Amino acid sequence: LKVAVGKKESVVEMDYKYLSKINSPLDLKNLSSEELYLLAGEIREEIILTVMKNGGHLASNLGAVELTLALLYVFDVPNDIIIWDVSHNVYTYKLLTGRRDSFSTIRQYNGLSGYSEKKEGLYDPFTVGHAGTSISTALGVLCGDEILDKKRKIIAVIGDGGITTGLSYEAINNCRQLGKRLLVILNDNAMSISPTVGALSRYLSELRVSPIYEELRKEVHTVLEKTKIGGLMESSVEKLKTSIKASLNVNIFTALGFEYFGVIDGHNIPLLIKMLKNLKNIQRPVLLHITTKKGKGYKDAEANPVMFHSVSTPREKSSSQGLSYTQVFGSAICRLAQKDKRIVAITAAMADGTGLVEFSKRFPDRFFDVGICEQHAVALASGLAFGGARPIVAIYSTFLQRAYDQIFQEASLQNLPIIFMMDRSGLVGEDGPTHHGVFDIAYLRLYPNIILMAPKDAGELEKMLEFALTLKCPVAIRYPKTEAPDLSKYTTSDEKIKLGKAEILAGGGDITFLAYGSMVKIALDAGEILAQDGIKVQIVNGRFAKPIDAELIGELLQKQNLVITIEEHTIVGGFGAAVLEEGIRRGWNLQKIKVWGIQDRFVTHGARDILLREIGLDAKGLAEGVKSILQKI
Ligand SMILES: Cc1ncc(C[n+]2csc(CCOP(=O)(O)OP(=O)(O)O)c2C)c(N)n1
């Protein structure tokens, strides 16, 4: 163990016998099986040490070490292309594809991404973090290659969670039609974040316990070859072979046009290498089914893969004293469900992340985990609402994007009372641009009938949920991945939630901060900073992005010089844009309105407070921004 003192903090750098010498996948090719296993051990050590420091997807990565080694051993990456579904399990891949020296920066601001990231070079062909896209994109690359006469191999690696997405089947369906030589590896660990749910997962477990194929097929082949020598007509032997093979091979994947191989042990390196070498040149769609253990090699993670799916940073752990918005929602929905049996909860494979575990235990008949199927979740909610139930759909802001059309047709067009609880709205921090929830106001605001709200604090989240249940239309409530503050002491007006009404908080003066959701606290803090410089600011909690409180904003604009809208969201089509649009309709003096939010670009990864600082959405940045605006007017 070598202790090196980095610029910002002290880091522990390990001197590894094998890993330290792997600078590119080529360096793997001369290693023996024993050496590859020793290397796997070192990789695990490095991943565990780093994740304990930086947070990240521990269990999934520990399960994919041998698979990654075998893939890089057999294929010629980056010429050949590996597309990792979700790509939360690419840590080994990063370590072996020239990023070992920067691996200690993974998920940190200015460091490596925790996912496949195009900006990091040719080894990462796509930037991804959402599940279920790998087979589609891999097929697309292959189709393009055929047109352009490129001969490289394309491999999609997808988990048993990822393969429950509808998109995967759309792609598989299309593979048969296009007849492409795609290799899909199904990395089956029987877990999504929680145990994989649904009929498909049961089906995969049946395949796992009857791994008949390889051995049996070999035996059949040998017997038939012997029979041939025994004098049977060659064409009859071929026919017999085909029909026996077909009867051995019928499963969901073969029925959909894939050659199916497996189930094989995904931690057995020589077997994986042998299998991949055999499959490398097959000119048809092939699915290789492997089984792996989530958390492999780290006892705690093996025993509790749900907890170790994603590990928080030590900083997140130590700084959280109060309840998160997620926890506040989790308790509130249970309290309300106790009184109202129409309430049902829906999650798309994120019971833990959305705070629904307690609900699932207390109200199992009213809890629906649909798997990684956001579109289905919303359409299911529509049916439930149609029948009189009150569905509460808890999906992260970024993943709800997947269900955009169902929000349009199944929720908004039907005007059904579905409540969307959009956790992780705003900047999520270390997971970065694939996970930041910064588009939901814009993508929901344009649909008729929908109501959009965001609470300033814990108490308001509960009130908004209660209020949403009184409405007879779709409602979406956004809240961030943070602790929920208590800002009740700032309330000066009626605390009751009224449709389309904002709330006046502390302060006074010539300027208004019209803040939405998570930005109310930032606005209050910025107001205090500005007060020290003698600049007085009126703080208003916007509460609704649709409908906005046009009456109040109109009054404020008459009395004041400046109204600054503030949101943790893109300025394109967001809360501020809604205010400006209303201003155009009403003939307000638009010069007096400034929109403060995220510029029209993707925000990188890193601790949430660092990111907020970078884009000027922290109290200091806001205060500085106001001062510079004041200097110009
Ligand atoms: C569209 C979408 N919904 C939800 C998620 C959150 N998510 C990240 S990983 C994961 C589980 C993936 O399970 P699996 O593919 O089996 O991989 P494993 O972690 O088990 O290796 C989920 C639900 C996501 N990334 N994308």
Side-chain angles (χ1 to χ4, degrees):
L1 257 187
K2 244 186 3 198
V3 179
V5 180
K7 274 192 190 135
K8 291 186 195 142
E9 58 191 285
S10 97
V11 288
V12 179
E13 270 180 11
M14 300 286 287
D15 212 358
Y16 295 107
K17 180 164 178 209
Y18 296 99
L19 183 56
S20 302
K21 296 193 190 87
I22 309 289
N23 297 313
S24 90
L26 283 179
D27 297 326
L28 291 176
K29 315 254 172 181
N30 299 323
L31 297 184
S32 66
S33 288
E34 291 73 43
E35 288 171 320
L36 287 171
Y37 276 116
L38 292 169
L39 173 61
E42 294 182 355
I43 290 171
R44 285 207 163 82
E45 205 167 329
E46 180 65 12
I47 290 176
I48 293 165
L49 276 176
T50 308
V51 173
M52 289 308 163
K53 184 167 72 79
N54 298 12
H57 289 98
L58 187 59
S60 314
N61 276 294
L62 293 177
V65 176
E66 287 79 10
L67 170 63
T68 314
L69 279 167
L71 280 167
L72 290 175
Y73 187 91
V74 172
F75 290 95
D76 172 24
V77 176
N79 180 39
D80 293 338
I81 288 188
I82 303 175
I83 299 178
W84 297 88
D85 205 77
V86 189
S87 82
H88 58 313
N89 52 358
V90 291
Y91 293 7
T92 303
Y93 185 76
K94 294 208 180 208
L95 278 168
L96 300 176
T97 52
R99 287 167 277 187
R100 187 197 57 235
D101 289 344
S102 44
F103 190 70
S104 64
T105 69
I106 199 162
R107 288 165 50 87
Q108 291 179 340
Y109 187 61
N110 285 334
L112 288 183
S113 159
Y115 295 88
S116 173
E117 169 55 74
K118 269 178 88 155
K119 288 184 197 147
E120 287 173 20
L122 286 179
Y123 285 103
D124 291 5
F126 294 95
T127 298
V128 264
H130 287 206
T133 60
S134 61
I135 307 178
S136 296
T137 39
L139 181 61
V141 176
L142 261 180
C143 291
D145 280 1
E146 277 181 22
I147 293 165
L148 301 171
D149 212 19
K150 293 186 186 162
K151 297 286 178 241
R152 59 191 170 182
K153 312 274 185 274
I154 312 294
I155 305 110
V157 183
I158 187 162
D160 56 297
I163 209 158
T164 60
T165 55
L167 187 54
S168 297
Y169 294 91
E170 295 177 26
I172 287 174
N173 189 36
N174 207 203
C175 283
R176 175 165 205 165
Q177 193 187 333
L178 297 174
K180 297 288 182 250
R181 52 187 168 86
L182 178 67
L183 173 56
V184 175
I185 298 179
L186 173 58
N187 174 15
D188 182 359
N189 51 28
M191 296 290 293
S192 186
I193 291 180
S194 314
T196 319
V197 293
L200 194 77
S201 100
R202 206 167 301 163
Y203 183 74
L204 290 181
S205 65
E206 280 164 21
L207 284 184
R208 279 195 299 271
V209 294
S210 54
I212 50 173
Y213 298 102
E214 284 323 298
E215 284 314 306
L216 207 52
R217 271 204 315 197
K218 259 188 242 154
E219 276 171 36
V220 169
H221 189 80
T222 318
V223 169
L224 288 173
E225 287 305 314
K226 281 186 186 151
T227 318
K228 196 162 91 180
I229 294 162
L232 243 175
M233 290 273 295
E234 198 163 323
S235 61
S236 317
V237 174
E238 283 312 313
K239 271 191 201 151
L240 194 58
K241 259 163 83 174
T242 312
S243 66
I244 292 179
K245 260 169 119 184
S247 67
L248 284 178
N249 250 347
V250 173
N251 68 34
I252 189 167
F253 302 110
T254 55
L256 291 170
F258 273 70
E259 283 258 343
Y260 172 91
F261 294 86
V263 179
I264 67 163
D265 175 3
H267 298 297
N268 182 333
I269 298 177
L271 182 61
L272 282 170
I273 289 178
K274 192 171 141 204
M275 201 69 183
L276 291 173
K277 279 185 175 164
N278 286 340
L279 300 180
K280 202 173 164 179
N281 293 313
I282 296 188
Q283 295 299 308
R284 293 175 302 282
V286 170
L287 186 134
L288 172 62
H289 187 175
I290 69 166
T291 47
T292 55
K293 179 132 194 77
K294 220 165 162 167
K296 174 85 176 170
Y298 182 45
K299 270 200 193 118
D300 292 349
E302 282 189 25
N304 197 341
V306 179
M307 193 168 131
F308 285 88
H309 177 85
S310 182
V311 174
S312 309
T313 59
R315 188 171 133 148
E316 276 173 325
K317 277 183 211 151
S318 66
S319 67
S320 61
Q321 285 130 17
L323 292 181
S324 65
Y325 278 104
T326 311
Q327 289 168 314
V328 173
F329 162 64
S331 311
I333 189 175
C334 288
R335 181 172 53 76
L336 294 165
Q338 187 69 46
K339 291 188 287 190
D340 184 349
K341 74 175 179 88
R342 296 172 310 154
I343 292 177
V344 300
I346 303 175
T347 173
M350 308 287 288
D352 210 39
T354 56
L356 285 175
V357 171
E358 193 192 337
F359 185 99
S360 71
K361 289 183 186 146
R362 284 179 57 187
F363 310 100
D365 299 342
R366 287 148 64 189
F367 172 71
F368 300 86
D369 180 353
V370 298
I372 314 176
C373 303
E374 290 80 4
Q375 304 184 39
H376 166 57
V378 177
L380 180 77
S382 160
L384 281 156
F386 170 82
R390 298 305 314 264
I392 297 179
V393 184
I395 295 182
Y396 290 4
S397 162
T398 188
F399 301 141
L400 193 61
Q401 287 161 193
R402 191 54 70 86
Y404 195 45
D405 190 53
Q406 287 66 40
I407 301 171
F408 154 66
Q409 180 176 280
E410 274 59 48
S412 171
L413 187 60
Q414 317 300 323
N415 196 17
L416 282 167
I418 301 170
I419 299 172
F420 297 101
M421 299 303 287
M422 297 186 296
D423 202 322
R424 310 303 198 264
S425 289
L427 297 174
V428 295
E430 288 82 357
D431 279 329
T434 53
H435 283 59
H436 293 320
V438 292
F439 305 106
D440 54 87
I441 306 172
Y443 74 69
L444 294 175
R445 196 166 66 81
L446 47 81
Y447 288 150
N449 294 326
I450 200 161
I451 304 291
L452 303 184
M453 292 188 256
K456 66 175 184 298
D457 67 0
E460 201 161 76
L461 177 66
E462 293 191 45
K463 279 191 207 152
M464 284 185 171
L465 184 54
E466 282 175 38
F467 177 71
L469 284 163
T470 67
L471 299 173
K472 296 189 169 59
C473 58
V475 179
I477 303 176
R478 79 187 310 254
Y479 44 96
K481 185 197 181 190
T482 53
E483 225 169 86
D486 174 8
L487 304 178
S488 52
K489 69 172 183 195
Y490 294 102
T491 299
T492 57
S493 57
D494 184 3
E495 273 189 56
K496 217 168 150 211
I497 310 275
K498 295 192 192 101
L499 186 61
K501 289 287 160 210
E503 177 196 30
I504 296 171
L505 297 176
D510 265 358
I511 303 170
T512 291
F513 281 164
L514 176 56
Y516 192 56
S518 59
M519 287 294 111
V520 174
K521 173 154 183 7
I522 302 289
L524 285 161
D525 294 346
E528 278 172 22
I529 298 175
L530 288 166
Q532 287 164 12
D533 290 335
I535 303 170
K536 281 195 190 157
V537 184
Q538 170 83 66
I539 317 287
V540 175
N541 168 18
R543 273 189 179 157
F544 290 85
K546 184 171 184 171
I548 57 163
D549 192 345
E551 202 185 328
L552 176 69
I553 301 168
E555 282 169 22
L556 290 168
L557 284 166
Q558 277 187 349
K559 286 189 244 155
Q560 300 193 329
N561 291 333
L562 198 56
V563 171
I564 302 177
T565 67
I566 311 156
E567 64 201 293
E568 195 177 342
H569 184 275
T570 171
I571 56 168
V572 183
F575 175 65
V579 172
L580 286 175
E581 284 167 21
E582 193 63 31
I584 293 169
R585 278 191 286 272
R586 292 180 182 243
W588 292 338
N589 178 356
L590 301 184
Q591 298 304 318
K592 287 188 174 185
I593 303 173
K594 299 281 176 245
V595 174
W596 205 260
I598 300 171
Q599 298 301 309
D600 184 19
R601 67 173 175 88
F602 290 109
V603 179
T604 183
H605 63 273
R608 185 166 174 272
D609 51 353
I610 296 178
L611 298 182
L612 287 172
R613 174 82 195 114
E614 181 199 271
I615 59 175
L617 274 184
D618 64 338
K620 215 169 130 208
L622 182 57
E624 283 161 9
V626 171
K627 283 189 209 158
S628 83
I629 292 172
L630 290 177
Q631 273 164 12
K632 286 183 203 143
I633 53 175

